[in-house]
Amino acid sequence: MKKSLGTGKLEPILFNSFNTVFMICLVLVTLYPFLNTIAVSFNAGNDTIRGGIYLWPRAWTLQNYKAIFASGTIYDAFLISVARTVLSTILNIFLTTMLAYTLSRREYVFRQPITVIFVLTMYFSAGLIPGYFLIKDLNLINSFWVYIFPSMISAFNMIVIRTYIGTIPESLLESAKIDGAGDFRIFMKVVFPLCKPVLATIALFVAVGAWNSWFDAFIYTSSRQSLSTLQYELMKLLSSTMNSNSNPNVAAGVGMDQNSARALVTPLSIRAAITVVASVPILLVYPFMQKYFVVGLNVGSVKE
């Protein structure tokens, strides 16, 4: 009996110890690439080529970031990216959820054919050239709204949200109807609040996609500098750096001669700095969304 009791006390200790060590190793493996990128971004380019940079810069410098922000267009592009991300996320979440709620109603007779049409768009696409001509015919070329309108509805997100709405008890919606609420009021006061967990997840995906997108800026607004996005500006900077094998002109623009620029700014160091500049703003969103992933999972099951 004593032996079995001792074994029973030992098992939780062994499990907790193994779980702690495993999670620490997992965190280190996950964080190391990002920490290494930060270290490289603060390291001189000529020293980075030698290798051996791990978690701390060997030759500290801010020249990589000075080279990135040397152009005044970065700041305007940042504002455009923020505006695009915020508007795209809000409109996509609201309109896609409204569509998902409509297609989840059994009394809506066209829900099946419309659902099939949306699903087909996930497998078939007209292609880049027809899409360009469509955007052109809609007079969205060189317009800020070309970033917003094409992304207002997502077929995949609609299916995910519609499936989640299906888990809401039908009796709850019927009670709202008995109290005199219409469909839109039910959607705004009942369905939308109960969908917070899935909406938080979808919002994060939409925001990351909008923030990281640069190809649409290249295709539709490249001739209008005022509408350039942060990702597109960073892509152009990286491209020019890679093509010249180093970008002395960019660094020289912040008060350095070309020889010093070649020493401190290289494609590898610029790429690391660009990665940090592009990643940090969207990473700041995660702490605010975390509460919906953790606490919000039970929102749909709690009745007040």
Side-chain angles (χ1 to χ4, degrees), residues 70-85:
S71 173
T73 60
I74 291 293
Y75 302 98
D76 294 334
F78 176 80
L79 295 178
I80 291 294
S81 291
V82 171
R84 168 192 181 162
T85 301

Side-chain angles (χ1 to χ4, degrees), residues 4 28 47 71 73 88 94 123 129 144 158 161 163 168 254 271 275 281 284 294 296-297:
S4 62
L28 292 177
D47 185 75
S71 173
T73 60
S88 295
F94 182 77
Y123 297 96
I129 295 177
F144 173 78
M158 181 273 294
I161 297 173
T163 303
I168 299 177
V254 291
R271 183 173 60 190
T275 302
L284 297 178
V294 178
L297 291 176

Side-chain angles (χ1 to χ4, degrees), residues 90-115:
I90 293 175
L91 290 177
N92 185 286
I93 290 300
F94 182 77
L95 296 178
T96 303
T97 306
M98 185 180 294
L99 174 64
Y101 171 69
T102 302
L103 297 180
S104 68
R105 297 295 86 211
R106 296 179 179 178
E107 60 270 20
Y108 183 51
V109 295
F110 297 110
R111 68 188 188 100
Q112 288 295 343
I114 293 179
T115 300

